[in-house]
Amino acid sequence: MSYDNIGAVYEHMNDFAKALSYYEKALAIREKSLPATHPDLAASYNNIGMVHFNMNNYTEALLWHEKALIIRRNSLPSNHLDLTISYDSIGMVYHKIGDYKKALSYTKMVLETLQHSPTPNQSQLAWCYNNMGMIYDKMNEHTKALSSHRIALTIRQKMLDSDHSDLAVSYNNIGQAYAGMGNHEKALSKFQRAISIAKKSLPLDHPDLQQYISNLENATKNKFETTLTFF
């Protein structure tokens, strides 16, 4: 088993310190045997960046992901899907630190690359629109968020079973957009749909399902409070 594979196992186990150690060993070998612009170096940089991200070391994560992006831009065609890994990783960091404008910019780069790929991955497209919608919500641009989440839902409906948990994600996010717009009636409807699907596809104690239920309760409360203002 390679150092990368061992690192991936530890990362999956959330033992990020050990994962980082093995990813660094893999990088050291590659740096000795590969030219500085080889795409495999970018893969190592990306792995290390993701571990730092998971350890909440966002400045360090950004440095590694930017190093990976430089190599990929210099060694790969502009529509290569490996570029989306770097764009998405950098966007995630900016999203996490609250720089939503930059997060949106990199997420749009993911979308553009996917759209120009000869074999666009529909699942990736859906997640890209999903991420854009979440960023727009953070920026209080709820109409744009709603549009993005609807596109994600449309893609998912064409490729997934009707009780797939990703559909629940989309319905919940659409509900969040409606809630942000003050349309509590439609928000309630979407949260209920998300819960209905999630109950079929997730354990009852799953955090996503619990979040959907919490969102429904908040929307119910907000609708009630809004109704009271008219009396």
Side-chain angles (χ1 to χ4, degrees):
M1 184 178 287
S2 71
Y3 287 134
D4 267 342
N5 290 338
I6 297 172
V9 171
Y10 279 120
E11 186 175 8
H12 184 72
M13 296 168 61
N14 293 330
D15 191 338
F16 300 122
K18 287 184 179 177
L20 182 60
S21 174
Y22 280 97
Y23 284 145
E24 287 174 341
K25 289 177 181 178
L27 173 60
I29 293 172
R30 285 172 172 160
E31 286 180 327
K32 291 178 181 178
S33 60
L34 298 174
T37 58
H38 197 284
D40 283 356
L41 283 175
S44 277
Y45 295 153
N46 186 84
N47 289 341
I48 292 171
M50 285 306 302
V51 173
H52 280 295
F53 178 85
N54 288 322
M55 295 171 72
N56 302 325
N57 299 331
Y58 301 123
T59 301
E60 193 73 15
L62 191 59
L63 289 173
W64 286 101
H65 287 314
E66 287 176 339
K67 289 178 68 172
L69 177 58
I70 289 171
I71 291 177
R72 285 169 170 156
R73 277 181 165 169
N74 289 334
S75 61
L76 300 172
S78 61
N79 64 346
H80 197 287
L81 292 180
D82 279 2
L83 282 166
T84 66
I85 298 173
S86 286
Y87 294 145
D88 187 53
S89 298
I90 293 172
M92 285 171 56
V93 175
Y94 280 123
H95 191 172
K96 200 72 175 180
I97 64 177
D99 191 336
Y100 301 123
K101 186 175 181 180
K102 286 185 178 178
L104 181 62
S105 174
Y106 278 95
T107 304
K108 286 182 176 179
M109 291 181 198
V110 175
L111 178 60
E112 183 178 359
T113 306
L114 289 171
Q115 289 174 331
H116 287 86
S117 169
T119 55
N121 183 302
Q122 294 301 304
S123 179
Q124 282 184 293
L125 272 174
W127 276 110
C128 185
Y129 280 111
N130 179 86
N131 292 344
M132 285 177 62
M134 293 178 69
I135 295 168
Y136 278 128
D137 254 337
K138 292 287 189 179
M139 299 170 73
N140 292 320
E141 296 189 34
H142 303 299
T143 301
K144 290 182 179 180
L146 180 61
S147 176
S148 294
H149 287 311
R150 280 175 168 169
I151 295 172
L153 175 61
T154 299
I155 295 171
R156 286 168 170 164
Q157 285 175 323
K158 292 178 181 178
M159 59 182 289
L160 300 174
D161 293 335
S162 60
D163 59 352
H164 195 284
S165 60
D166 282 357
L167 291 177
V169 171
S170 281
Y171 282 116
N172 176 73
N173 290 341
I174 290 172
Q176 291 282 54
Y178 277 126
M181 297 164 68
N183 192 332
H184 305 302
E185 193 71 39
K186 287 189 175 180
L188 281 169
S189 172
K190 300 306 177 183
F191 291 143
Q192 288 167 344
R193 189 72 181 274
I195 291 169
S196 175
I197 294 172
K199 283 183 175 179
K200 298 175 184 177
S201 57
L202 299 173
L204 292 179
D205 61 349
H206 194 282
D208 286 354
L209 175 55
Q210 296 305 310
Q211 183 62 58
Y212 305 157
I213 293 172
S214 176
N215 291 343
L216 177 66
E217 291 171 349
N218 289 334
T220 302
K221 177 183 176 183
N222 290 334
K223 180 187 175 184
F224 177 72
E225 290 176 349
T226 301
T227 302
L228 286 179
T229 62
F230 290 99
F231 293 93

